[in-house]
Amino acid sequence: MSKFQNICKKIAELSPNIRVSEARGCIVLQGEVGNWETAVKAGQLAVDKKRYLGVINDISLKGFVQNQRLPTEQDKSLDDERPDVLIIGGGITGCAIARDMSKYKLNTVLVEKGPDVASGASRANGGVIHVGINFSKHSQKHYYNIRGNRMYAGLSQTLDVPFEQKGQFLLCCKGWERLVVELLRLHGRSMGIPGVRWLDREELLKHEPCAPDYVVGGMYMPIGGITSPMEMTVALVENAVKNGVRIFLNTAVSGMETENGHIVSVDTNRGRLYPRLVVNAAGVYADKIAEMAGDRTFTIHPRRGTDIITDKKAGYMVKTSMEKSPFSILPYQKAQVTSGPFGSAKAILAALHSNTKGIGLIHSIHGNMLFGPNAVETPDREDTSTYRDEVDQIIEIQCHVATDLKASDVIAYFTGVRAPTYEEDFVVRKGVFTDNILEAAGIQSPGVTAAPAVAADISKWAVEYLAEKMTVEKNDSFDPVRHAPPRLAQMSDEDRDALICKNPDYGTIVCRCEEVSKGEILDALNSPVCVPTLDGIKRRLRPGMGRCQGGFCAPLVAQIIAEHQGTSLSSVKKNSAESIVTYGETKGAAQ
Amino acid sequence: MIHTDVIVIGGGPAGLAAAITAKRAGAQTLLIEREARLGGILKQCIHDGFGLVRFGEKLSGPEYAERFIHEFHEENIEALTLTFVTKIKKTDDGFVLSAVNRSGVAHLSAKALVLATGCRERTSKQVFIHGTRPSGVFTAGTAQHLINLLGQMPTKKCVILGSGDIGLIMARRITLEGGKVEGVYEAKPTPSGLTRNIYQCLHDYGIPLHLSKTVTKVFGADRLTAVEVCSVDKKMQPIEGTNEIIECDALILSVGLIPENELAESLGIQIDPRTKGPVCDEVLMTSADGVFSCGNALHVNDLVDYVSESGECAGKAAAGFARKERMELSLSVGENVQYLVPQRLNLNAEDLKTVLYFRSREVFGKCSFVMTVDGVEVFRKRYSVLRPPEMERVEYDFGPLGLTAESLVSFEIEEA
């Protein structure tokens, strides 16, 4: 039986309603199923990286319609534009690409569907700069992760973004796991991951004094780090804009006109553009964009991940980032392990194959403890809801690793929708069927780590492509350096005093939990990519991210925004244009 | 650096009372307030009912505050407004504060401190509400700020979760402004707010109160479009199949207040897990010598009159603070008592006349508040009913008891 027939057989066993075919080097699935698990399972069964470019899984879920949030703005501000490069997607990948493009004298435009950069998975993750020891040696994930990891310290310094490289830990509870760690160390070395080693409990406690009692030691991976993905994305896009890139928020691509494998024009809610080259960094919609361009070889199957944040007071429970080794069966898990000689082995295998891996604890760059994420397949590309059972379960699991953790330590939780392909790898490549597109798709974890490396390749290919059509010159005035606006809470009293003397607004504290001043909010409103919404300010400066979650400061921040923008208080929004905060003045406003 | 005897942090009702009392007791006093105006949360409490105990009249929040602000100015007490304390350092003879305001970072020193930092509201995430992240989820205090201070209408049609007093007050307020309140939902089987507020704010306006029901989920991608409510079991867990969707544009939360003690914690002050405020003695001194606590930072009060009273107690003690040998005795409470303030006595104090504040853990009909020393009953007060939302106040002089550090002083509520 051929490989294709084999796939057909397996899928037929799964569901009779799925049609399997081959087209343009891809394996194509079509039909309608009654539950999403079946659709995902079929996609997974169809993966054959050796023989096919990828899986095109067009199986629909009965009764499900994607509710896509689109910007309501309609104008002609981009109509007839002829940019050299059009980047679709303002996540960390798109923004990193935009910055790299700004090293050249090119007309580069970035469009983002959401009301802010990093509106999708880029923001909703733990900010870990990954080690990547679990990736396959031949994967793009590994290739870009290890390169990205090496770039992070330098990039963070240049862009004035906080970055800590204190390492990452895998906690082990059985002595024999030391052997596994040794194997991983050798594997890591062959992948170019330096410094991996076993630490005995005593040594481990120096790094992680709150490691639970049952931990006998662990694998230390010194190249692991922590960033603030939001701040990094903002820094990248600000630097790109400073160096000449134009960014359009609330701008969605609705279609493309192609001709003989060439994108002629791109339609948006701000008019029709005629770009020379398109970069697809569209996150969960990357397969839709590739489809429009006639270059689709993959399918994004959205995967929801929820993370939980604690009060900074609980931040002491983890100093770096740590997770339980998948081999360790904790006392609470024993009840779930079937007895018999293979019970433990089965549990370990199940753990290894689960997408949740070991959910980890992270000391966030701002000092909170962050833990998660889980991993739930969903047909809905925009379902950033949180669910009671999932959050309860994450807390339940983490109580066994962060043993002091109480439910009352939790101040917030959020969900991001990741954008994996069925091949579970990045799709960073030149167009296969379309000449003027570059794909930066399938970017899930470790996308934050990989972004600078992905951007380096994409921009290199972009320049190579454009150089055949036009003269591409270096941008002599490119300034790689970006200075972050001052953060007064982190300063010494003397420095703080000096700044306040220059600008008294730095002395008016607006957010008491995170100690954010009016001056800092005004800085954000005057920044190169101003997002004058409550969330825009919150994401940049954190008022509203502390323990009161904006209860005290939100009305104050709204007032500052209204004053700065010269608008009424009721026109200040939370996030999107429809996310009204107040309905206007009292006495009649509610009629 | 400015030197003074007493620094009061917080210019709400507790801080104002503390500063006035400290000044009158002869101490040089400075008050620090982070907002532009004195009065604290009273500024936005434009409903009446304040001052019944203290003044025998029904005042609005701003009126109540104004009486103290007037006295405060009459005493010529210095106040630094729009000033935020970022750090407190313990020194040999007192404390040095770093305070940020529009003139820069000031360093201020004092012999004694009164922490009158108030409380904050529990948020939707702290009561584990799930769903999307739309606009339109407000704590009751934030809604009150928007309506009463900024004149902005945050909702046309809302659901209120929690029957705490602010939630009840806001139900009436929103109704008066022309908004519709679909209902007040309370996860507990009994209301959390004062009985008078249940009548005056809900019954009088035909707003339904749903007990043993909670909000579990919010909907809406941009602005909130609906909430899901569920009945809860005795453990307050949602019961499957009882969910109901209510269309509205806002969810207003009145789900509890948490004393703000981040500054106290930075000094390593011991916090009582029951009150979430500092463990204090009969003059409201915390576990740190020279640091006093009062008002809602000490424990969440139901009436502002008691907030002022505790401020006066702390202010007076702070003015007379002198480091002396202490003999401490912890007061213990039984299961039926939710909490007791103060939590301990300094037996070396000259005067042990003490104001005790307590709350019952649940609703008790005919019952007694009983105090025993080494198992022997020494005090009993009878109540026809005790409700957790209603704080009780008892005056008692421990002096004549001749307590020693080994005495076991215990409080319990006995059902009749």
Side-chain angles (χ1 to χ4, degrees):
Chain A
M1 196 176 354
S2 76
K3 292 278 176 186
F4 175 68
Q5 284 168 324
N6 199 15
I7 289 173
C8 290
K9 186 174 159 253
K10 277 197 257 174
I11 290 176
E13 281 166 15
L14 183 71
S15 164
N17 302 326
I18 302 172
R19 296 184 301 284
V20 188
S21 58
E22 292 170 298
R24 297 206 306 178
C26 297
I27 192 144
V28 181
L29 309 177
Q30 284 161 310
E32 190 184 66
V33 293
N35 74 69
W36 187 243
E37 263 175 33
T38 308
V40 173
K41 186 79 197 148
Q44 289 165 341
L45 289 173
V47 172
D48 183 343
K49 288 194 232 180
K50 277 189 197 140
R51 287 173 185 78
Y52 298 103
L53 291 169
V55 176
I56 296 194
N57 182 348
D58 282 338
I59 302 169
S60 58
L61 175 65
K62 201 173 178 181
F64 173 77
V65 184
Q66 177 68 54
N67 188 6
Q68 195 180 352
R69 292 175 73 188
L70 288 169
T72 47
E73 289 83 349
Q74 292 288 339
D75 60 42
K76 292 278 172 203
S77 54
L78 280 171
D79 206 32
D80 259 342
E81 286 260 1
R82 290 165 191 278
D84 298 316
V85 182
L86 172 67
I87 301 166
I88 303 171
I92 192 164
T93 307
C95 292
I97 294 167
R99 176 174 181 266
D100 274 3
M101 293 318 308
S102 73
K103 294 173 181 168
Y104 300 90
K105 274 191 196 160
L106 292 168
N107 176 358
T108 302
V109 168
L110 184 150
V111 291
E112 163 56 44
K113 171 168 99 74
D116 200 349
V117 294
S119 277
S122 299
R123 186 181 70 240
N125 67 79
V128 172
I129 297 307
H130 285 276
V131 176
I133 204 154
N134 50 330
F135 302 138
S136 141
K137 213 175 186 173
H138 308 289
S139 63
Q140 284 202 341
K141 277 186 183 176
H142 164 60
Y143 176 73
Y144 289 110
N145 185 73
I146 194 72
R147 282 173 66 200
N149 185 301
R150 287 182 198 131
M151 293 163 86
Y152 246 85
L155 185 67
S156 302
Q157 198 173 21
T158 310
L159 295 177
D160 209 355
V161 174
F163 173 64
E164 282 176 8
Q165 199 158 23
K166 293 192 200 156
Q168 214 172 318
F169 287 90
L170 196 68
L171 305 177
C172 301
C173 18
K174 293 278 183 294
W176 60 262
E177 289 183 78
R178 196 175 174 152
L179 295 172
V180 181
V181 170
E182 178 57 21
L183 290 174
L184 283 168
R185 186 185 71 82
L186 292 172
H187 174 65
R189 203 168 65 178
S190 74
M191 290 168 81
I193 300 169
V196 176
R197 64 179 193 273
W198 170 267
L199 292 186
D200 285 330
R201 179 173 173 87
E202 210 165 287
E203 245 185 304
L204 187 138
L205 286 178
K206 286 182 200 156
H207 296 266
E208 287 295 353
C210 294
D213 294 342
Y214 57 76
V215 170
V216 299
M219 180 165 72
Y220 174 48
M221 297 166 278
I223 67 164
I226 301 285
T227 185
S228 161
M230 183 69 205
E231 281 174 65
M232 181 50 97
T233 309
V234 167
L236 287 164
V237 78
E238 283 186 1
N239 191 243
V241 167
K242 183 182 168 195
N243 288 304
V245 173
R246 286 178 300 154
I247 168 165
F248 292 82
L249 298 172
N250 296 307
T251 308
V253 169
S254 52
M256 291 184 195
E257 187 195 343
T258 59
E259 217 176 81
N260 304 323
H262 184 84
I263 300 164
V264 179
S265 67
V266 175
D267 287 332
T268 73
N269 52 318
R270 298 191 195 273
R272 176 170 291 179
L273 296 88
Y274 300 84
R276 281 185 202 263
L277 177 69
V278 171
V279 175
N280 177 9
V284 285
Y285 284 103
D287 54 346
K288 300 287 177 196
I289 296 294
E291 176 92 46
M292 288 178 196
D295 192 49
R296 181 169 164 208
T297 59
F298 55 91
T299 305
I300 303 295
H301 58 109
R303 189 184 289 151
R304 221 176 44 223
T306 298
D307 282 290
I308 299 174
I309 304 174
T310 69
D311 194 303
K312 287 180 180 173
K313 290 178 204 168
Y316 72 91
M317 294 180 207
V318 58
K319 302 281 183 199
T320 61
S321 76
M322 57 180 183
E323 59 181 277
K324 181 181 77 65
S325 109
F327 307 105
S328 307
I329 297 164
L330 299 187
Y332 81 98
Q333 290 171 307
K334 287 219 170 103
Q336 301 152 15
V337 174
T338 41
S339 57
F342 300 110
S344 307
K346 273 187 201 156
I348 289 167
L349 281 174
L352 277 176
H353 285 107
S354 145
N355 278 323
T356 49
K357 285 195 291 148
I359 292 176
L361 300 178
I362 298 162
H363 186 87
S364 88
I365 203 85
H366 302 107
N368 311 72
M369 178 167 67
L370 194 146
F371 54 96
N374 59 349
V376 182
E377 297 291 338
T378 166
D380 189 342
R381 293 168 194 251
E382 303 196 13
D383 184 12
T384 53
S385 296
T386 57
Y387 296 85
R388 178 176 300 268
D389 51 341
E390 294 177 11
V391 166
D392 287 354
Q393 197 193 8
I394 298 169
I395 295 175
E396 165 69 28
I397 294 172
Q398 284 317 308
C399 284
H400 301 279
V401 187
T403 44
D404 289 355
L405 180 66
K406 302 183 300 293
S408 58
D409 292 325
V410 172
I411 59 167
Y413 32 85
F414 59 83
T415 297
V417 183
R418 327 259 180 256
T421 62
Y422 284 102
E423 292 75 27
E424 296 291 343
D425 202 2
F426 296 168
V427 182
V428 180
R429 60 164 172 77
K430 299 174 187 173
V432 175
F433 301 109
T434 305
D435 76 321
N436 59 339
I437 191 164
L438 297 172
E439 308 284 357
I443 308 286
Q444 52 165 320
S445 175
V448 170
T449 316
V454 170
D457 272 6
I458 293 280
S459 61
K460 190 181 88 188
W461 297 334
V463 170
E464 282 169 10
Y465 173 85
L466 291 169
E468 290 173 15
K469 323 272 167 194
M470 60 187 280
T471 328
V472 179
E473 286 175 55
K474 286 228 160 171
N475 177 3
D476 296 328
S477 56
F478 174 76
D479 180 0
V481 178
R482 173 240 181 204
H483 296 288
R487 296 302 305 274
L488 281 87
Q490 291 156 13
M491 290 181 180
S492 68
D493 283 355
E494 292 71 33
D495 292 351
R496 197 170 183 169
D497 188 63
L499 257 181
I500 296 170
C501 287
K502 276 191 229 157
N503 178 1
D505 283 336
Y506 287 132
T508 302
I509 302 291
V510 174
C511 159
R512 55 177 78 170
C513 306
E514 298 284 316
E515 254 182 71
V516 184
S517 68
K518 182 178 180 184
E520 288 161 274
I521 294 171
L522 291 172
D523 285 346
L525 290 168
N526 292 322
S527 70
V529 182
C530 162
V531 179
T533 61
L534 290 180
D535 281 358
I537 296 299
K538 172 172 137 181
R539 290 172 196 145
R540 280 162 182 74
L541 296 168
R542 301 179 55 78
M545 286 206 187
R547 49 183 74 95
C548 93
Q549 289 285 295
F552 286 117
C553 65
L556 308 176
V557 174
Q559 277 176 287
I560 295 169
I561 295 172
E563 201 178 303
H564 181 267
Q565 300 292 108
T567 57
S568 67
L569 207 51
S570 56
S571 58
V572 177
K573 304 292 162 41
K574 177 177 185 281
N575 190 19
S576 64
E578 285 70 45
S579 59
I580 293 161
V581 179
T582 67
Y583 289 100
E585 291 178 1
T586 48
K587 296 281 178 255
Q591 302 293 301
Chain B
M1 180 145 61
I2 302 167
H3 300 277
T4 186
D5 296 331
V6 175
I7 289 181
V8 178
I9 303 175
L16 285 167
I20 293 164
T21 317
K23 181 71 192 289
R24 285 184 184 156
Q28 198 190 355
T29 304
L30 170 69
L31 184 142
I32 301 178
E33 164 56 45
R34 56 188 156 199
E35 292 187 36
R37 291 190 295 138
L38 297 175
I41 210 71
L42 288 176
K43 294 195 297 291
Q44 66 186 50
C45 300
I46 62 170
H47 52 282
D48 72 355
F50 297 92
L52 268 173
V53 177
R54 188 176 191 97
F55 300 115
E57 44 183 323
K58 279 204 273 183
L59 303 174
S60 71
E63 283 171 336
Y64 184 95
E66 199 49 50
R67 296 204 175 182
F68 286 85
I69 294 168
H70 182 73
E71 286 182 42
F72 182 86
H73 290 314
E74 277 203 329
E75 292 294 337
N76 273 320
I77 304 166
E78 199 191 338
L80 287 174
T81 53
L82 270 183
T83 301
F84 188 88
V85 176
T86 56
K87 271 192 295 255
I88 304 179
K89 242 177 35 204
K90 177 89 189 70
T91 59
D92 288 344
D93 54 351
F95 304 89
V96 174
L97 281 61
S98 297
V100 171
N101 61 25
R102 293 182 68 83
S103 320
V105 184
H107 293 111
L108 315 159
S109 82
K111 292 178 197 146
L113 295 180
V114 178
L115 302 179
T117 43
C119 58
R120 64 170 175 269
E121 298 176 277
R122 280 174 92 196
T123 66
S124 67
K125 295 287 194 289
Q126 285 166 327
V127 293
F128 292 98
I129 288 173
H130 289 282
T132 53
R133 301 164 74 88
S135 61
V137 180
F138 302 100
T139 57
T142 306
Q144 194 177 43
H145 184 161
L146 290 168
I147 295 178
N148 292 351
L149 294 183
L150 301 179
Q152 289 285 318
M153 201 57 189
T155 175
K156 294 176 181 173
K157 186 166 137 184
C158 68
V159 159
I160 297 182
L161 175 62
S163 57
D165 288 310
I166 329 166
L168 303 176
I169 298 287
M170 287 316 292
R172 177 175 65 184
R173 189 77 190 97
I174 289 163
T175 309
L176 288 173
E177 284 295 343
K180 171 121 180 72
V181 179
E182 289 288 316
V184 175
Y185 291 81
E186 170 60 60
K188 292 190 211 120
T190 52
S192 299
L194 296 172
T195 309
R196 74 170 193 219
N197 282 333
I198 301 285
Y199 281 89
Q200 293 172 8
C201 300
L202 301 188
H203 288 198
D204 291 358
Y205 293 85
I207 299 166
L209 171 64
H210 305 274
L211 298 172
S212 297
K213 277 191 176 188
T214 193
V215 173
T216 44
K217 209 170 168 183
V218 299
F219 300 90
D222 300 295
R223 175 80 191 195
L224 188 140
T225 55
V227 299
E228 179 191 76
V229 298
C230 252
S231 295
V232 296
D233 60 22
K234 285 199 176 118
K235 286 179 186 159
M236 309 251 271
Q237 292 303 308
I239 303 169
E240 229 169 282
T242 61
N243 43 330
E244 182 188 341
I245 306 288
I246 299 173
E247 279 180 32
C248 54
D249 64 26
L251 170 64
I252 293 178
L253 297 150
S254 173
V255 288
L257 300 170
I258 305 168
E260 288 231 285
N261 280 300
E262 279 64 39
L263 283 174
E265 286 173 16
S266 77
L267 286 167
I269 285 171
Q270 191 191 341
I271 301 291
D272 180 349
R274 288 171 296 211
T275 55
K276 310 270 189 297
V279 169
C280 283
D281 67 10
E282 73 290 342
V283 292
L284 304 183
M285 188 163 94
T286 66
S287 63
D289 261 13
V291 182
F292 299 80
S293 175
C294 57
N296 281 350
L298 173 62
H299 64 117
V300 175
N301 290 255
D302 53 353
L303 298 181
V304 70
D305 312 66
Y306 298 135
V307 166
S308 302
E309 183 179 50
S310 70
E312 285 166 340
C313 176
K316 183 177 165 213
F321 171 71
R323 220 149 279 165
K324 280 187 197 151
E325 190 69 21
R326 298 167 60 79
M327 197 204 315
E328 274 168 0
L329 172 70
S330 288
L331 306 176
S332 59
V333 294
E335 255 181 31
N336 291 344
V337 182
Q338 193 188 122
Y339 70 72
L340 175 77
V341 171
Q343 293 87 345
R344 58 186 179 198
L345 302 172
N346 171 19
L347 298 179
N348 284 352
E350 283 164 23
D351 186 359
L352 282 174
K353 278 200 204 90
T354 305
V355 178
L356 298 163
Y357 305 105
F358 75 94
R359 284 179 197 264
S360 63
R361 184 162 303 283
E362 50 193 285
V363 178
F364 294 109
K366 275 200 175 130
C367 59
S368 303
F369 181 61
V370 181
M371 171 181 156
T372 56
V373 176
D374 298 323
V376 179
E377 181 178 323
V378 294
F379 174 82
R380 175 179 290 264
K381 184 169 178 186
R382 290 185 166 77
Y383 291 89
S384 57
V385 64
L386 280 177
R387 290 191 184 90
E390 279 152 38
M391 196 182 82
E392 299 298 334
R393 177 185 182 280
V394 174
E395 281 181 52
Y396 189 77
D397 187 356
F398 290 91
L401 290 179
L403 298 169
T404 68
E406 280 72 47
S407 303
L408 175 63
V409 181
S410 206
F411 294 84
E412 180 59 306
I413 293 165
E414 283 177 9
E415 292 177 84

